[in-house]
Amino acid sequence: MAYDKFDILTSRVVPLSSENVDTDQIIPARFLKATERKGFGDNLFRDWRYDSEGNPKPDFVLNDPTYDGKILLAGKNFGSGSSREHAVWAIYDYGFRCVVSSFFADIFKNNCLNIGVLPVTVTPEFADELFEAVEADPSTEVEVDINKQTITLLATGKSESFDINAYKKQNMKNGFDDIDYLLNLKSEIKAFEAGR
């Protein structure tokens, strides 16, 4: 399944400072019955966003109109717990294209790269600076450049580099998952096969 191509993302930021957010908090298990990757965004952080009657909780950041954007700024150890891809499907379907944290669970990070959400790991100090900047001014914008592998707080110009696997970087830039990558090589594969 192809995803949005990722090049340079300039966006406001949605801050979620909670630490140790696991995949069951991102998308509760009762919403994992769907077989298509659509509609999961409606239940992103379901138990934090809505009360038992289905009413939005006004104190939760996704329900606060002050904050919006395509970048989710998360607390340390984001995406721990079970390996469910649905957590990243929910993040993508909601509209986020990048998650920034000082630490990601490994499986969650790899799922992000497979599904078209760029996980950007920053130092705890830079994460704190981002949280402080967004809290002081919710219109603060951040630029994430996959080519340069940098994240920049535009208000100050402060920037950090981030790591990404070269293969996953190319896939993100082209909007490919692993299958799309192989399909893109179809003519080369056929030529190789014909020469055998």
Side-chain angles (χ1 to χ4, degrees), residues 118-129:
L118 182 63
V120 174
T121 306
V122 297
T123 63
E125 295 76 21
F126 193 57
D128 288 344
E129 283 185 49

Side-chain angles (χ1 to χ4, degrees), residues 176-196:
F176 291 165
D177 66 11
D178 293 332
I179 301 299
D180 296 316
Y181 171 78
L182 290 174
L183 290 173
N184 186 56
L185 298 176
K186 190 174 181 179
S187 60
E188 293 169 47
I189 292 169
K190 284 187 173 187
F192 177 81
E193 183 182 33
R196 302 293 285 160

Side-chain angles (χ1 to χ4, degrees), residues 113 118-119 146 149 162-170 172:
L113 292 167
L118 182 63
I146 197 168
Q149 296 179 210
F162 61 88
D163 291 328
I164 182 171
N165 171 286
Y167 164 70
K168 293 299 184 183
K169 178 178 179 177
Q170 279 307 115
M172 292 285 297

Side-chain angles (χ1 to χ4, degrees), residues 6 9 12-18 70-78 91 96-104 108 112 117-123 126-128 130-131 142-144 150-152 160 162:
F6 200 110
L9 174 64
R12 289 173 52 164
V13 176
V14 177
L16 181 69
S17 60
S18 302
K70 294 187 173 195
I71 299 173
L72 177 63
L73 175 60
K76 183 179 179 183
N77 195 26
F78 189 78
I91 289 167
F96 292 116
R97 294 299 173 261
C98 178
V99 181
V100 179
S101 178
S102 61
F103 183 81
F104 291 101
F108 176 84
C112 281
V117 175
L118 182 63
V120 174
T121 306
V122 297
T123 63
F126 193 57
D128 288 344
L130 292 172
F131 277 115
V142 168
E143 179 185 271
V144 180
T150 57
I151 176 170
T152 305
E160 279 197 358
F162 61 88

Side-chain angles (χ1 to χ4, degrees), residues 71-89:
I71 299 173
L72 177 63
L73 175 60
K76 183 179 179 183
N77 195 26
F78 189 78
S80 58
S82 75
S83 61
R84 66 185 69 157
E85 287 183 319
H86 304 73
V88 183
W89 294 355

Side-chain angles (χ1 to χ4, degrees), residues 19 24 28 49 51 57 62 74 90 100-101 106-107 122 124 131 140 147 163 171 183 189 194:
E19 294 187 352
D24 195 51
R49 279 170 71 190
D51 64 22
K57 296 179 181 178
L62 294 190
V100 179
S101 178
D106 286 340
I107 293 173
V122 297
F131 277 115
T140 295
N147 299 297
D163 291 328
N171 278 359
L183 290 173
I189 292 169

